[in-house]
Amino acid sequence: MQLLMEFKDLTRRFERDDYFLQASGSLSENETLAVRGPSGSGKSTLLKILARLLAPDTGNMFYKGEAYRQIPPQKWRREIQYLSQKPVVFAGSVQDNLRLPFNLNCSPPQINYSQDQASSYLEAVGLSTAILPQSASTLSGGEAARIALIRSLLVQPNILLLDEPTAYLDDSSAGQVINLLKTWLVEKDQRALVIVSHKQEDIKGFNQVKFLDL
């Protein structure tokens, strides 16, 4: 199995000077890394550092053996997609939201928007294609979370960083999302997941799980 990501001795001081995040770990292809810890331990902060949305105070990160400082941030964030706990949608229709990364050149030149793939993902998470012309501003929290996930999947990342991906979903929809992620993870080599979730059912859904306790 190829080692996709490694992070060593990452630290980040919180606003509380008496506490700071410290973490090391690695992720090979087709693996899931489940990050655990009490509230305030830095789980979301770690995901943001791995996504290069926050800079670590010390430590290093490697993607496919290359140090993060040697990789352009745009390329890093394209291949390592971060989904925040609160789903983000933008002005326009649902279709506009799914096409957005391609309009912003956030996907590799060889990857184009696929309506067939988008429709397949929508069906997998229990949403109809009839939602596509709907204004994204009218989506429920659960619908927005699923659209945000599909938008990330369409650019064909290698690693997904998921912060409470089923927080806005009922049990049925959560099960559909986890099943989609399980399928996505093993469809191709060089794919992996990092997940923060308070739902044990989410973690149990995956094979090759290892844990990082903060």
Side-chain angles (χ1 to χ4, degrees):
M1 278 193 306
Q2 181 181 353
L3 183 65
L4 290 184
M5 175 182 275
E6 187 175 17
F7 47 100
K8 297 181 177 180
D9 302 320
L10 293 180
T11 65
R12 172 86 183 194
R13 188 167 293 281
F14 293 172
E15 292 183 3
R16 299 175 7 227
D17 286 340
D18 61 334
Y19 188 79
F20 63 93
L21 169 71
Q22 184 171 17
S24 297
S26 63
L27 192 61
S28 297
E29 60 185 7
N30 304 128
E31 277 189 337
T32 299
L33 178 64
V35 182
R36 304 184 297 189
S39 178
S41 61
K43 301 184 294 297
S44 295
T45 297
L46 175 61
L47 292 192
K48 290 176 182 177
I49 291 173
L50 296 180
R52 292 180 67 177
L53 299 176
L54 289 176
D57 293 331
T58 62
N60 208 346
M61 300 183 289
F62 301 87
Y63 175 55
K64 296 182 179 179
E66 190 172 4
Y68 78 99
R69 293 180 180 87
Q70 306 303 315
I71 302 174
Q74 184 182 37
K75 173 180 171 62
W76 182 281
R77 294 178 189 140
R78 185 177 64 226
E79 298 190 17
I80 303 173
Q81 286 274 310
Y82 165 72
L83 276 83
S84 65
Q85 181 174 349
K86 184 176 181 180
V88 177
V89 292
F90 301 92
S93 68
V94 171
Q95 179 85 281
D96 293 335
N97 270 261
L98 295 181
R99 287 183 174 273
L100 184 62
F102 304 90
N103 296 336
L104 298 175
N105 296 319
C106 294
S107 62
Q110 69 273 20
I111 298 177
N112 297 310
Y113 176 77
S114 169
Q115 185 59 62
D116 288 343
Q117 186 64 79
S119 298
S120 176
Y121 285 147
L122 285 166
E123 181 181 2
V125 298
L127 294 174
S128 167
T129 55
I131 202 174
L132 290 171
Q134 182 176 327
S135 173
S137 64
T138 66
L139 296 175
S140 68
E143 290 169 337
R146 284 174 281 178
I147 293 302
L149 172 61
I150 292 171
R151 185 175 59 216
S152 288
L153 292 177
L154 286 171
V155 300
Q156 301 182 31
N158 289 329
I159 297 176
L160 285 175
L161 308 172
L162 306 176
D163 194 353
E164 301 286 356
T166 64
Y168 287 85
L169 304 178
D170 59 30
D171 289 345
S172 176
S173 298
Q176 290 173 316
V177 163
I178 295 302
N179 284 337
L180 172 59
L181 291 171
K182 286 168 57 182
T183 300
W184 174 86
L185 184 59
V186 298
E187 275 179 336
K188 293 183 179 180
D189 294 335
Q190 298 192 13
R191 286 180 174 177
L193 288 172
V194 182
I195 185 170
V196 170
S197 178
H198 70 280
K199 298 181 181 179
Q200 290 301 312
E201 294 80 7
D202 290 354
I203 308 303
K204 291 177 181 177
F206 296 99
N207 297 321
Q208 299 188 57
V209 178
K210 59 185 182 183
F211 296 92
L212 173 62
D213 292 314
L214 299 181

